[in-house]
Amino acid sequence: MNNCAIICEYNPFHSGHKYQLDVVRAHDASNIVCVMSGQFVQSATPAFCDKALRAECAIIGGADAVIELPAAYATASAQAFAEGAIKIIAAIKNADTLAMGATADAEVIKRIADIKIADKVEFKRVLTQNMKSGKSYNAAATAALIELFARKHPDKAYGVDDVLTEPNNILCIEYLTALATYAPHIEPLIIARRGALHGSAELDTEHISATAIRTASDDGRFQAVSKYLPCRADKISEFRNNHAPDTELYKNIAVFALKCKDLNAIARLRDCSEGMEYLLKSVAHLYSFDEYLSVAVGKRYGKKRVYRLFLDAVLGIEKGLTDCEFCTRLLACKKTFDFSILPACVKTNNADIKAAASADAQVARVLAVDEKAVALYNTLCRIDGDYYNYSLVKI
């Protein structure tokens, strides 16, 4: 193995993540390069703690470098999240492996992904048919994969629906699909997840979920789960005590941002489709984020989709943004890390980031979202500074 990549959020970095890094290192990776979400994560919510601290934990935990995934991708659907990260990974010098965690058998994951890759025309047809029947995109995609898998592998179809309910498995499928398009030279390394499942509240197991850690922290029980934080638990606790993002303030800002947009502006937002703008404007008299959710979330639109639409409104994320060229920054690395393996789009200092944006309007457009994301996160956390108040973390 030469260089291995991992796509992650580390929200926060816990013992299960440390286990995965240890497994990858045991495969003799020369470098482990993580592509990690910044101040907002895929659920379109503020990160549990600052990106610099999460990147620092990753380096201490066994990674060689951590690259920031631009906010336009980090807060996107599973497909765009995967594509954004793999666009970066594809250009890492001598990258030959992408490690990922799953709860299902690796061969089943690969067979499902193959449907999206080799049978994409039929998949799209069945997906569209399911959406016309009133299903949300995610429900329609799941139903399409189950149907096509049963056609191709009738003797192995039992339990595929369970595979497709687990977020880690869904991301693996999207990673494999994106690899086929952007980096066919990179091989997947699917590692069986140990301990609690994604989103589980279980606290008595080998590795608990990041959700359980966040929930415990919100409930004032951080010390009860700190043993599952192998790196910088004291600094994470300090951050949460002094700078935990004000989620109620975020909800108020999000409602304000949406109310300020007319029908056409809402329609241009990344996650708006199928006339969703008419639904949202019809309930514009509401003032509560949770009231908006209660009206908008249903069979047609999932909760995460609506959350992303609110964040789109706040950060100005419009359709087509993830088709643009972009640059990003190296968040952290070991002192011995070889910068020469980095893709050209990954910058190690603010001057190079600003120069890239000045030279390319597309890069500037994507970067503007990251600048807003940091300004918003710092506001929610009562922290001074902006996107450019950042120094590379070296350990």
Side-chain angles (χ1 to χ4, degrees), residues 274-291:
E274 305 148 9
M276 199 174 184
E277 67 271 25
Y278 295 102
L279 169 63
L280 292 171
K281 289 307 285 186
S282 72
V283 293
H285 60 283
L286 300 176
Y287 66 89
S288 162
F289 184 95
D290 293 328
E291 281 187 301

Side-chain angles (χ1 to χ4, degrees), residues 316-335:
I317 305 177
E318 296 188 345
K319 291 179 175 67
L321 190 66
T322 52
D323 296 324
C324 291
E325 296 295 322
F326 63 88
C327 77
T328 187
R329 71 162 76 245
L330 182 67
L331 290 172
C333 64
K334 289 183 177 177
K335 292 179 180 178

Side-chain angles (χ1 to χ4, degrees), residues 59-88:
I59 300 300
I60 296 170
D64 293 282
V66 180
I67 297 168
E68 182 172 5
L69 180 63
Y73 291 103
T75 62
S77 65
Q79 179 179 336
F81 178 86
E83 289 178 353
I86 288 171
K87 286 176 183 177
I88 296 171

